[in-house]
Amino acid sequence: MPLSEHEQRMLEQMERALYAEDPKFASALEGNGLRTYTRRRVYQAVAGFLVGIALLMAGMVAQLIWISVVGFLVMLGCAVLAVTGWRKAPKPGETPKGHTRRRPVRRKRTVMERIEDRWQRRRDEQGH
């Protein structure tokens, strides 16, 4: 449900006050830090996946099964971390849950909302 104009003004005032009082904390709430953290986590998982491949190959060359199994498990764990980190990463311009934005963003209307609007317009046109 969108905010009323009064609520939007109040939110903007609160955000300005927060920026004036503690700009470092306010900028941390914008999500750039979280986006950087999740991106770094994905890169670390990819690097770990490559280490897992190296362990798997080294175990096969040395004919030590346990090293290959450890390599496979490292690959599996890093793949899971990369996928979950990628899904949880906020998109550019998106705010993480629980964080506020500087400017309110217009919400895209769903297909059903657009169909309902068209239906209402047709009913209004027929009635007048």
Side-chain angles (χ1 to χ4, degrees), residues 23-115:
K24 185 177 179 182
F25 177 69
S27 64
L29 288 180
E30 283 187 346
N32 291 337
L34 182 62
R35 186 170 36 247
T36 303
Y37 168 76
T38 52
R39 189 175 295 138
R40 187 179 325 129
R41 181 177 164 193
V42 169
Y43 291 148
Q44 289 172 348
V46 169
F49 188 84
L50 295 175
V51 168
I53 289 175
L55 285 173
L56 181 72
M57 295 300 201
M60 292 177 77
V61 168
Q63 294 183 348
L64 297 172
I65 302 283
W66 66 274
I67 293 178
S68 295
V69 171
V70 169
F72 176 76
L73 293 176
V74 168
M75 288 171 49
L76 183 64
C78 288
V80 168
L81 282 177
V83 170
T84 59
W86 193 263
R87 286 185 184 163
K88 291 180 183 177
K91 308 292 183 268
E94 182 181 62
T95 304
K97 293 180 182 176
H99 294 197
T100 59
R101 297 186 65 87
R102 259 196 136 148
R103 299 175 284 166
V105 174
R106 289 180 71 189
R107 182 178 68 90
K108 279 189 166 183
R109 295 181 349 178
T110 64
V111 174
M112 285 305 294
E113 289 173 334
R114 290 193 306 258
I115 291 172

Side-chain angles (χ1 to χ4, degrees), residues 10-23:
M10 293 293 292
L11 181 62
E12 288 171 2
Q13 285 178 339
M14 290 172 21
E15 288 176 347
R16 282 193 297 270
L18 177 64
Y19 272 94
E21 188 176 312
D22 193 355

